[in-house]
Amino acid sequence: MKFGVLQFFSWPGRRVPLQTVYKRAIDRVKIMDQGGYDTVWLAEHHFSTYSVCPSIHIMGMHLANLTQNIRIGTGVSLAAFYHPLRLAEELALVDNLSEGRLNVGFGRGFDQTEMKVFGVTPDTSYERFHENIEIVIAAWNQGRLSFEGKHHSFKDIEVLPKPLQSPLPTWIGASSPDAINWAAKNGFAILMDPHSSHPDIGQKYATYREILKEHKHQQTLDTPVARLIAIAKTDKEAEAIARQGAEWTVGSYAGPKKGGPPTTLSPEEMVQRYVDEVIIHGSPSKVIDKLTELNETISLNYLLASILSHESFVRLTDEVIPQFS
């Protein structure tokens, strides 16, 4: 099993200086760089203390300068919010300056505030997302680019630099059936979301593989599956961390008012769903058993860990990952 981290820059209650949030995250990445982790995937968010990292490309370059081994992933670059040629340039530049350590993840986004501010509506976000990705990949792979689309048109433009890696490893953040269907039909690797239950993730992954096969695509890249993780000395302590993390997630980001999926559940019921069905929590031995079970039942062979406490990170690094090496 491979391990990566879905790195947020959460600022709950603004209790500490924001620079402290960044320092703690950077210190973790330096530890990840020393072994055991494949990639740190950086989460892009705007206008919210849920995660204060509006430019994961700048942050990715900063982390690349401070590390030597770990890959730097965009988890995800919200492609519908960018001019596609600028996005192509920035990602290619990071790949060159990091000496080929970039993993690219693209996502559509769903936060209603972000969409409104960036002039993207829910009705047009999919078509902008798809068109922008098409342009970015063409810009990387063609010497000079000409393109006529609904939202953009260019003629004979040379986009520089080109990525150092060829091809540049690219994933689509896919959680909805439509997104999974589109990614599989077009042969993209996918990143799987941290908010679905384990059985739902398993079903989505099986559907993705079926559609890949149906369209005669072979995908050699890993499929990182994002899971919220809470680990403590005892199961009871870990459950308390999981509940606190669920409350923060539901209250600040993942609820339907922010653009998440419609639900009939109350906020309290949503929190309980996260604790019961979504978050992997427990003592190190319990978490090891759960990861082994998920590997066997839903083919989870790349854990993209969204870590809910510092203790969880330490125990994952020191006590869980060595059992899968």
Side-chain angles (χ1 to χ4, degrees):
M1 183 179 289
K2 286 186 178 181
F3 292 84
V5 167
L6 181 57
Q7 182 63 54
F8 292 90
F9 299 84
S10 298
W11 197 20
R14 310 187 191 210
R15 292 191 295 264
V16 299
L18 185 55
Q19 289 76 14
T20 301
V21 173
Y22 296 136
K23 183 180 184 303
R24 288 171 178 171
I26 290 166
D27 287 346
R28 282 189 192 177
V29 175
K30 290 178 180 178
I31 293 171
M32 295 177 213
D33 188 51
Q34 299 308 306
Y37 290 92
D38 172 70
T39 301
V40 55
W41 298 84
L42 305 173
E44 176 182 337
H45 292 285
H46 302 267
F47 321 121
S48 169
T49 57
Y50 180 70
S51 183
V52 187
C53 190
S55 176
I56 54 176
H57 309 146
I58 291 176
M59 181 63 77
M61 194 61 254
H62 182 57
L63 293 174
N65 283 336
L66 297 174
T67 58
Q68 294 181 328
N69 305 301
I70 196 166
R71 295 186 64 80
I72 309 298
T74 68
V76 289
S77 298
L78 297 173
F81 300 159
Y82 288 83
H83 189 291
L85 297 188
R86 181 64 180 264
L87 182 58
E89 291 172 334
E90 287 190 5
L91 289 168
L93 183 61
V94 174
D95 192 47
N96 277 270
L97 295 178
S98 68
E99 299 183 341
R101 284 194 283 143
L102 181 65
N103 286 351
V104 173
F106 290 125
R108 179 182 69 94
F110 66 82
D111 185 280
Q112 298 300 299
T113 300
E114 293 176 345
M115 287 190 179
K116 183 177 180 180
V117 171
F118 288 119
V120 177
T121 68
D123 291 339
T124 63
S125 61
Y126 277 110
E127 61 187 35
R128 284 183 177 275
F129 176 61
H130 295 161
E131 183 172 300
N132 284 3
I133 291 174
E134 181 182 354
I135 292 168
V136 169
I137 292 175
W140 289 340
N141 294 315
Q142 296 179 19
R144 304 188 74 86
L145 173 65
S146 295
F147 182 88
E148 285 289 338
K150 185 173 181 179
H151 300 281
H152 302 282
S153 62
F154 317 105
K155 186 173 182 180
D156 198 31
I157 298 296
E158 183 180 22
V159 177
L160 295 172
K162 303 300 184 189
L164 181 61
Q165 299 175 89
S166 182
L168 182 52
T170 301
W171 285 257
I172 302 296
S175 58
S176 70
D178 287 344
I180 290 170
N181 185 62
W182 180 83
K185 282 183 177 179
N186 287 277
F188 284 107
I190 61 172
L191 300 165
M192 305 201 73
D193 73 274
H195 304 294
S196 298
S197 68
H198 308 317
D200 285 347
I201 284 288
Q203 183 56 56
K204 290 176 181 180
Y205 188 31
T207 299
Y208 166 74
R209 288 179 291 177
E210 290 170 4
I211 298 173
L212 272 182
K213 184 176 180 181
E214 177 185 342
H215 288 267
K216 298 180 172 55
H217 293 301
Q218 289 187 335
Q219 186 48 253
T220 59
L221 295 176
D222 297 309
T223 301
V225 177
R227 298 285 80 189
L228 295 155
I229 301 291
I231 311 173
K233 183 177 180 179
T234 67
D235 293 346
K236 184 177 181 179
E237 291 170 326
E239 183 175 344
I241 295 170
R243 185 169 301 279
Q244 184 179 33
E247 290 170 350
W248 170 246
T249 299
V250 170
S252 63
Y253 188 68
K257 289 184 179 180
K258 297 293 287 182
T263 180
T264 60
L265 299 178
S266 68
E268 294 77 13
E269 290 170 330
M270 289 182 67
V271 167
Q272 193 62 46
R273 172 187 168 274
Y274 270 89
V275 174
D276 293 342
E277 303 177 21
V278 178
I279 301 174
I280 298 173
H281 59 84
S283 64
S285 61
K286 182 179 178 181
V287 169
I288 289 167
D289 289 344
K290 186 63 177 180
L291 292 176
T292 301
E293 173 196 329
L294 292 175
N295 178 263
E296 294 171 351
T297 56
I298 67 170
S299 300
L300 192 162
N301 53 30
Y302 189 127
L303 173 67
L304 180 49
S306 178
I307 297 167
L308 294 177
S309 71
H310 181 66
E311 180 183 2
S312 299
F313 172 71
V314 172
R315 291 186 181 276
L316 178 68
T317 303
D318 294 343
E319 301 178 57
V320 175
I321 289 179
Q323 300 303 313
F324 293 90
S325 59

